[in-house]
């Protein structure tokens, strides 16, 4: 079993995680699942297996944590925060970590 090592910020947008007008999506070969408002642990995200489908914004309210399974057996999470404006979503902030294999 893989255990988390140190915390590292390793997100590579476009290859690990993508954000668009329609929603958030995993990069090629990665999977993504919505976890909820509570920050997930390493084991929470390790146990969640998503698919390669994008998540539309109506399924990802601001403040939602996402579990991400990345290539090379890496596991991480991201939190998505945004403000909705009259013409849609503006000011999207995505922050998170990828656990380094220990």
């Amino acid at each position: 079993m893989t255990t988390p090592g140190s915390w590292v910020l390793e997100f590579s947008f476009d290859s690990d995680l993508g954000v668009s007008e329609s929603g958030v999506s995993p990069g090629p070969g990665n999977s993504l699942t919505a976890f909820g408002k509570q920050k997930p642990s390493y084991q929470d995200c390790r146990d969640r297996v998503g698919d390669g489908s994008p998540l539309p914004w109506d399924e990802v309210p601001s403040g939602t944590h996402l579990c991400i399974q990345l290539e090379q057996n890496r596991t991480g999470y991201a939190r998505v925060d945004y403000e909705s404006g009259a013409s849609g979503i503006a000011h999207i902030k995505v922050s998170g970590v990828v656990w380094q294999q220990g």
Side-chain angles (χ1 to χ4, degrees):
M1 179 177 160
T2 305
T3 57
S6 59
W7 295 83
V8 290
L9 290 171
E10 287 187 13
F11 279 119
S12 172
F13 287 96
D14 298 327
S15 63
D16 287 343
L17 188 66
V19 176
S20 69
E21 288 182 17
S22 59
V24 61
S25 59
N30 301 332
S31 68
L32 180 68
T33 56
F35 185 77
K37 297 285 186 175
Q38 182 177 346
K39 183 170 83 172
S41 69
Y42 168 80
Q43 197 62 49
D44 289 333
C45 285
R46 186 79 180 143
D47 291 344
R48 292 179 83 89
V49 178
D51 58 27
S53 301
L55 295 173
W57 290 121
D58 62 350
E59 293 180 23
V60 184
S62 185
T64 297
H65 287 87
L66 308 171
C67 286
I68 306 167
Q69 297 292 327
L70 303 167
E71 294 179 319
Q72 301 166 345
N73 205 27
R74 296 180 300 147
T75 299
Y77 77 87
R79 179 182 164 125
V80 179
D81 292 292
Y82 58 85
E83 295 177 18
S84 295
S87 61
I89 295 175
H91 307 289
I92 299 170
K93 178 182 175 186
V94 178
S95 57
V97 298
V98 175
W99 285 282
Q100 183 176 338
Q101 294 183 18

